[in-house]
């Protein structure tokens, strides 16, 4: 079980060294508690953070990719304390976590 207990929005811009283009970026740091894969000497829950591109979070929440940050914050706030499960997919030829689904 993984339960979403908090999140942080991280965003900004970077400047391409090659073109000088200003490129916006945005990530969400999802904070979860989990009782999955506890070691023999661990009890209760472990705490984990998972960074996802905001684009993947929007897709997971059924939002358009260009919504304002405030909308993402509001929608993530609605699922705090909900059980989630991360999804895995191929990104640039490598498998990585590319979203989540609400379990309960």
């Amino acid at each position: 079980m993984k339960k979403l207990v908090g999140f942080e929005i991280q965003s900004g811009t970077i400047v391409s060294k090659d073109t000088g283009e200003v490129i916006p970026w945005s990530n969400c740091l999802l904070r979860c508690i989990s009782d999955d894969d506890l070691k023999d000497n661990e009890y209760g829950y472990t705490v984990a953070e998972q960074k996802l591109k905001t684009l993947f979070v929007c897709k997971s929440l059924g939002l358009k990719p260009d919504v304002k940050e405030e909308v993402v914050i509001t929608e993530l706030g609605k699922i705090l304390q909900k059980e989630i499960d991360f999804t895995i997919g191929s990104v640039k030829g490598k498998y990585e976590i590319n979203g989540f689904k609400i379990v309960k």
Side-chain angles (χ1 to χ4, degrees):
M1 177 276 308
K2 290 174 205 64
K3 186 183 284 189
L4 182 66
V5 294
F7 60 90
E8 177 183 346
I9 305 294
Q10 305 167 329
S11 61
T13 58
I14 58 173
V15 178
S16 170
K17 292 179 183 178
D18 298 329
T19 65
E21 176 186 10
V22 176
I23 304 166
W25 62 270
S26 181
N27 294 317
C28 292
L29 186 63
L30 303 180
R31 295 187 178 109
C32 301
I33 57 171
S34 175
D35 60 1
D36 295 343
D37 302 320
L38 291 175
K39 298 175 187 160
D40 290 340
N41 62 340
E42 292 180 314
Y43 304 92
Y45 299 101
T46 58
V47 178
E49 294 182 326
Q50 179 63 52
K51 182 167 71 171
L52 290 172
K53 292 180 181 181
T54 302
L55 174 70
F56 294 153
V57 171
C58 288
K59 183 177 177 182
S60 298
L61 293 169
L63 301 173
K64 294 183 179 184
D66 58 349
V67 298
K68 294 186 179 200
E69 192 174 276
E70 294 80 21
V71 174
V72 178
I73 292 168
T74 299
E75 294 304 310
L76 279 172
K78 290 178 182 178
I79 64 167
L80 283 174
Q81 304 303 320
K82 299 278 186 183
E83 189 175 335
I84 64 170
D85 201 7
F86 291 109
T87 59
I88 298 174
S90 179
V91 178
K92 297 183 180 179
K94 295 181 182 179
Y95 286 104
E96 65 180 51
I97 294 175
N98 67 352
F100 62 89
K101 60 183 176 181
I102 300 167
V103 178
K104 289 184 187 177

